[in-house]
Amino acid sequence: MVTTTAREFSMYVGGEWVSGSGEMMDIVNPATEEVVHRVPRATREDVDRAVRSAREAFDDGRWSGLGCGERSAYLNKLADILERRAGELARLETEATGKPITLSRDADLPFGIDNLRYFASVARVMEGQAAGEYVPTHTSMLRREPVGVIGQVAPWNYPFMMAIWKIGPALAAGNTVVLKPAENTPATSIEIARAAEEAGFPRGVLNIITGDEEAGVALTSHEGVDMVSLTGDTQTGKKIMQQAAPTLKRLHLELGGKAPFVVFADADLDSAANCGAIAATTNTGQDCTAATRFYVERSVYDQFVDRMVRAMRDVRVGDPFDESTNMGPLISKEQLERVEGFIERAAQAGYKPVTGGHHVEGQQRGFYFEPTVFSDVSQDADIVQHEVFGPVVVVLPFDSEDEALKHANGVVYGLAGSVHTSNVSRALKFAKHLRFGTVWINDHMPLTSEMPHGGFKQSGFGKDLSIYALEDYTQIKHVMAELTGQAYKNPTPDEHMGA
Ligand code: NAD
């Protein structure tokens, strides 16, 4: 599998490019199965070095001591450099993830850069409760301060964007960072560090280490880390809670999802089916907000299933570098096997897909999987309850609003969901009662820098994007000033008697 042209990367620690003390890891292009990148596998010692450099950079105030306007200028400069290099970074992203170049170039890169610019700006306008005399003769005021050294662990589905969502608010708030990208997609995170170096970031403020679970464990349990931020699987979130517990670190967890997509008979069915197919297959369904569970009012159920099947068959699957491709391969052989495992278990339970369900025919190489639709599946089936993380959906009928709500909410996840109807009261009722961190009405998927993204229930806690992400990376301090110089005077006996 190894090719001789694989590009080698180093890690960025303490302002230096280092190869670490471990072996190198191969990064495989999921569309060709060739090794395209090689990166160091960080050891515990490498992680320790990165944390110490972030600690030193935090403790001496070389970053938190800057004015917010200065930090904002660094982040804007970083955004400018990333924008200049966006084409090259999009290609790097597609090489490692297999996502269509149109998605990397026209969505992930520009959106990530916009997110970074948002954090550069909003760091200058944080607000809080007014300073005042809540106790007579004492002025109280609030300070929002950085938390310290942030250990961040990212997933492979949107490597560039996830890195920006993590380092953007953390750095804007004055923290220093050690980021570990996912083991199979580190290249664009490393290139963000290269851009930060070009932008003149002070040494040790941003550190990127590459590696697998071992490096992740070393980082999230390190006593020099004050807060851990993970985007990843719900099971990984549970492990990280335990790893972070001995030193009681703050946690910010963005975990798995299993989004419902509720369709009423009064919705525009063509529009809903097209929207649903896009929301199910974008990034090959490897999206925590992907539409996966379709609940459709029984009177239009058969019509909707037909439309959905047609829309899924229309998705163009193929070479990610072909401009007309809508969907590339899954990220890895392991992910392909995971998706196939769900299909096999569904078959054992008596469910057969209406379309799809196999590796894409004619693709000799690459981890391709067909857009797949199951209908008439029971609510408690494995494929309804658990995150597949592939282009696989289930479509179930419902007879009443209450049933739709009960089933839509009937999973352990709570990241995102949508309702499709032309009835405003019903839409608002669902917006209120769906227990998900984001609810769309007559759409599914769009996000914006200004609004929060994050989970309820076992999809985690803490927000990405928006002012709320920035707040998550700060801690509040109450400062109280006594104004008369009498703070330590004991009361006289007369005062005690209330005279
Ligand atoms: P994953 O949990 O397997 O890995 C995520 C990261 O955690 C990787 O960098 C990995 O090396 C690291 N890791 C694994 N075990 C660890 C441990 N014990 N300690 C520390 N680090 C550890 O997830 P993935 O497969 O890369 O990504 C897919 C998952 O991410 C899906 O469940 C998806 O829903 C979720 N996701 C959630 C959001 C969100 O915003 N909520 C966004 C994107 C992806």
Side-chain angles (χ1 to χ4, degrees):
M1 247 198 335
V2 176
T3 60
T4 48
T5 53
R7 181 171 160 191
E8 293 217 351
F9 292 84
S10 302
M11 301 187 286
Y12 190 61
V13 174
E16 289 172 16
W17 293 99
V18 300
S19 49
S21 51
E23 67 214 26
M24 295 296 275
M25 300 192 298
D26 290 341
I27 308 298
V28 173
N29 177 335
T32 62
E33 301 185 38
E34 287 173 349
V35 175
V36 276
H37 308 147
R38 305 190 76 228
V39 300
R41 188 189 301 276
T43 60
R44 199 163 269 279
E45 294 71 50
D46 300 327
V47 173
D48 182 57
R49 182 174 165 195
V51 173
R52 277 189 286 113
S53 87
R55 184 84 259 162
E56 190 186 311
F58 183 76
D59 288 346
D60 71 12
R62 73 185 75 152
W63 185 246
S64 61
L66 298 178
C68 18
E70 290 172 293
R71 281 202 300 274
S72 173
Y74 275 114
L75 293 174
N76 273 319
K77 197 161 175 199
L78 176 60
D80 291 343
I81 296 166
L82 293 172
E83 191 164 53
R84 195 188 75 219
R85 296 184 52 202
E88 168 208 342
L89 295 176
R91 284 191 296 281
L92 215 48
E93 192 83 322
T94 286
E95 264 173 21
T97 58
K99 67 174 70 189
I101 187 68
T102 48
L103 181 61
S104 302
R105 185 194 60 212
D106 304 337
D108 294 8
L109 262 290
F111 188 54
I113 291 165
D114 181 68
N115 303 149
L116 186 58
R117 290 215 166 97
Y118 170 80
F119 285 117
S121 309
V122 82
R124 306 182 72 172
V125 292
M126 291 197 83
E127 291 183 351
Q129 201 173 352
E133 286 67 52
Y134 300 95
V135 170
T137 74
H138 291 67
T139 299
S140 284
M141 66 193 101
L142 293 181
R143 293 177 53 83
R144 251 192 199 280
E145 299 189 346
V147 180
V149 173
I150 318 289
Q152 303 186 312
V153 181
W156 43 256
N157 58 346
Y158 292 97
F160 177 81
M161 244 165 57
M162 293 299 113
I164 295 289
W165 287 15
K166 296 212 168 298
I167 67 176
L171 293 181
N175 303 283
T176 58
V177 164
V178 179
L179 170 78
K180 188 195 88 62
E183 40 274 59
N184 31 14
T185 55
T188 46
S189 300
I190 295 170
E191 291 307 304
I192 292 173
R194 204 177 310 283
E197 181 185 43
E198 186 184 334
F201 274 56
R203 209 167 19 86
V205 166
L206 173 62
N207 304 275
I208 306 286
I209 51 159
T210 52
D212 50 22
E213 181 170 348
E214 188 187 336
V217 172
L219 179 60
T220 55
S221 56
H222 197 292
E223 62 180 6
V225 169
D226 299 299
M227 171 174 165
V228 166
S229 163
L230 163 78
T231 300
D233 194 87
T234 293
Q235 296 311 322
T236 309
K238 292 177 186 179
K239 285 190 208 163
I240 282 184
M241 271 187 127
Q242 290 178 339
Q243 290 156 204
T247 45
L248 215 65
K249 298 183 198 316
R250 273 192 178 216
L251 292 175
H252 182 271
L253 300 175
E254 295 290 353
L255 308 176
K258 186 81 185 173
F261 188 108
V262 180
V263 183
F264 282 92
D266 60 9
D268 177 334
L269 295 188
D270 285 324
S271 163
N274 286 334
C275 169
I278 291 171
T281 56
T282 294
N283 213 29
T284 320
Q286 301 165 122
D287 186 306
C288 49
T289 64
T292 55
R293 296 180 293 132
F294 290 72
Y295 296 101
V296 182
E297 195 165 7
R298 195 175 295 277
S299 60
V300 293
Y301 180 74
D302 291 338
Q303 294 174 45
F304 187 82
V305 171
D306 285 350
R307 283 172 166 82
M308 194 64 203
V309 166
R310 250 184 288 134
M312 292 289 266
R313 285 184 182 151
D314 282 349
V315 172
R316 284 188 299 275
V317 184
D319 175 3
F321 281 99
D322 181 332
E323 293 279 332
S324 67
T325 292
N326 302 131
M327 193 182 102
L330 292 158
I331 184 74
S332 61
K333 188 159 182 287
E334 294 72 43
Q335 191 63 19
L336 177 62
E337 286 167 0
R338 178 186 153 91
V339 173
E340 287 172 340
F342 271 98
I343 307 294
E344 270 168 40
R345 287 194 297 282
Q348 282 157 17
Y351 302 124
K352 206 169 151 286
V354 206
T355 188
H358 304 100
H359 181 270
V360 173
E361 260 182 54
Q363 294 288 352
Q364 301 303 322
R365 310 185 86 185
F367 311 121
Y368 288 93
F369 198 80
E370 294 170 328
T372 300
V373 178
F374 283 89
S375 64
D376 295 307
V377 183
S378 150
Q379 169 72 10
D380 57 11
D382 168 54
I383 205 154
V384 177
Q385 289 294 318
H386 299 114
E387 186 180 41
V388 179
F389 231 49
V392 179
V393 306
V394 294
V395 192
L396 286 74
F398 68 81
D399 292 302
S400 68
E401 285 186 1
D402 285 350
E403 188 192 6
L405 262 178
K406 185 172 151 225
H407 284 171
N409 284 332
V411 290
V412 297
Y413 302 103
L415 189 60
S418 63
V419 58
H420 302 256
T421 174
S422 53
N423 178 329
V424 175
S425 316
R426 178 186 272 157
L428 293 178
K429 176 178 170 186
F430 271 69
K432 176 176 175 189
H433 292 291
L434 284 171
R435 295 190 59 214
F436 296 84
T438 298
V439 174
W440 292 281
I441 298 172
N442 293 328
D443 206 341
H444 194 109
M445 271 203 147
L447 297 175
T448 171
S449 298
E450 295 79 3
M451 286 289 146
H453 167 77
F456 287 12
K457 295 159 71 180
Q458 291 190 32
S459 290
F461 45 81
K463 297 293 182 193
D464 281 329
L465 303 177
S466 81
I467 189 81
Y468 300 102
L470 196 67
E471 287 182 4
D472 283 346
Y473 286 101
T474 64
Q475 50 194 350
I476 292 180
K477 183 185 279 176
H478 171 206
V479 179
M480 188 184 239
E482 202 285 329
L483 303 176
T484 66
Q486 303 296 311
Y488 297 110
K489 196 181 132 211
N490 284 325
T492 62
D494 283 352
E495 281 168 340
H496 260 314
M497 302 296 289

